[in-house]
C-alpha cells in the first residue's frame, strides 16, 4: 500500500490551511473580500453542481447575496495565492439554494468522485465535514448557550462558559487480517445489510481508553471471533461522511478459526489472492474505489509472495 497520502481519496493536503493566520479575523475578512477568492457553496452535506455535475465555484467578491444567505462561511485555505472559502446554504430550501448559486442540482460528493480530480474531491469533502460540524455545534454542550464561529471557521466559542470547541473527528480502524501459515489468505466479511456475496474488510470505531491497535484487536475478536497477533499501520484516510478518520492496518491472526457474531457480521471467510482476483474479474469490485478498504485489498493483492 502506498503511504503517499495523495494515493487516498479525500486527502492530500491540497490547500495551505494557514493555521496561524486564520486566527486573525481581519486577515480572514481581507481574504474573503480579495479579488479572485473562490467560494464553494454546499447544501446539507451535498455539493451544489452544474448540469454537468461539476461543483459550482463562485467569485467571492461578486457573491454578496450568497454570503448574506449563508448560515456559515468558513475559510478552507489558500490554493497558491487564491483563498478558498466554503459557504453553507443548508438553512435554505434545496431549490432556493441551487437558484442562488446557479446550480442545477445537489449531489453527494461520493457519487461524483470518479468525475472529479483528486484535489477537488478532497476539498469538497473537507468543506462538507467542516460545515457539518458547525451545524451540529451551534450550542454549547455544557451550558446550552449559542456558540460563535472563530478562527476562520475552525473553532467555535461559548462566551457564557468560555469554552473553545474544535471540529470533532471520529477515528475508526479498518483492518486487513491475514491468516497464519500458507497459502496466503485474508479475512473478509459480509456485514449486516450488505448484499449476498458482498465482502469487505473489518472496521469499527475506536472507543474511549483504547489505542488504535487495541481497537483492531477488539473489533476483529468481537465481530469475527479471530484472535490477532501483530498489527501494523498501513495508512489513513479522511472520511468526512460525516466526521470519520479511517486508520488502516494489516494484522496477522494467530489461528484461522472464525466465529462470527451474527450481529454486525453475517459471515466471514478466508480468501486467497486467486479467489480475490477471480471475484474482481467476475465484476465483484474490491471495495468502493474511493475507499481505504479498496487500497488495503489491492495492496495485499499486489504483494503476493
Ligand atoms: Zn457554554
Amino acid at each position: 500500500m502506498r503511504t503517499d497520502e495523495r494515493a487516498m481519496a479525500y486527502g492530500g493536503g491540497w490547500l495551505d490551511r494557514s493555521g496561524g493566520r486564520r486566527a486573525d479575523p481581519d486577515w480572514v475578512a481581507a481574504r474573503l473580500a480579495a479579488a479572485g477568492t473562490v467560494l464553494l457553496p454546499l447544501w446539507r452535506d451535498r455539493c451544489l453542481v452544474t448540469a454537468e455535475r461539476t461543483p459550482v465555484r463562485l467569485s467571492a467578491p461578486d457573491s454578496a447575496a450568497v454570503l448574506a444567505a449563508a448560515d456559515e462561511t468558513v475559510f478552507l485555505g489558500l490554493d497558491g495565492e487564491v483563498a478558498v472559502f466554503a459557504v453553507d446554504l443548508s438553512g435554505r430550501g434545496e431549490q432556493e439554494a441551487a437558484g442562488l448559486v446557479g446550480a442545477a442540482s445537489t449531489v453527494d460528493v461520493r457519487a461524483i468522485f470518479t468525475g472529479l480530480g483528486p484535489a477537488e474531491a478532497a476539498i469538497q469533502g473537507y468543506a462538507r465535514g467542516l460545515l457539518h460540524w458547525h451545524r451540529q455545534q451551534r450550542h454549547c454542550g455544557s451550558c446550552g448557550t449559542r456558540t460563535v464561529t472563530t478562527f476562520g471557521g475552525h473553532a467555535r466559542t461559548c462566551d457564557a462558559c468560555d469554552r473553545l470547541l474544535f471540529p470533532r473527528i471520529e477515528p475508526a480502524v479498518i483492518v486487513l487480517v491475514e491468516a497464519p501459515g500458507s497459502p496466503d489468505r485474508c479475512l473478509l466479511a459480509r456485514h449486516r445489510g450488505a448484499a449476498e456475496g458482498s465482502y469487505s474488510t473489518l472496521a469499527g470505531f475506536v472507543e474511549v481508553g483504547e489505542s488504535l491497535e487495541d481497537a483492531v484487536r477488539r473489533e476483529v475478536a468481537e465481530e469475527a471471533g479471530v484472535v490477532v497477533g501483530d498489527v501494523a499501520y498501513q495508512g489513513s484516510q479522511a472520511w468526512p461522511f460525516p466526521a470519520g478518520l479511517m486508520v488502516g492496518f494489516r494484522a496477522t491472526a494467530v489461528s484461522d478459526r472464525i466465529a462470527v457474531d451474527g450481529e454486525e457480521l453475517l459471515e466471514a471467510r478466508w480468501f486467497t489472492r486467486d479467489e480475490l482476483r477471480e471475484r474482481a474479474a467476475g465484476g465483484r469490485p474490491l471495495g468502493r474505489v474511493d475507499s481505504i478498504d479498496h487500497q488495503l485489498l489491492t495492496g495485499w493483492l499486489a504483494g503476493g509472495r
Side-chain angles (χ1 to χ4, degrees), residues 140 142-145 158 160-161 163:
C140 174
S142 295
C143 74
T145 299
C158 171
C161 63
R163 281 185 73 198

Side-chain angles (χ1 to χ4, degrees), residues 174 188 198-201 276 279-280 284-298:
I174 180 163
L188 297 182
S198 173
Y199 295 90
S200 58
T201 51
L276 281 192
R279 287 174 58 79
R284 297 271 193 192
L286 300 172
R288 23 178 327 139
V289 69
D290 61 350
S291 69
I292 190 172
D293 178 37
H294 180 78
Q295 296 278 343
L296 288 169
L297 285 166
T298 53

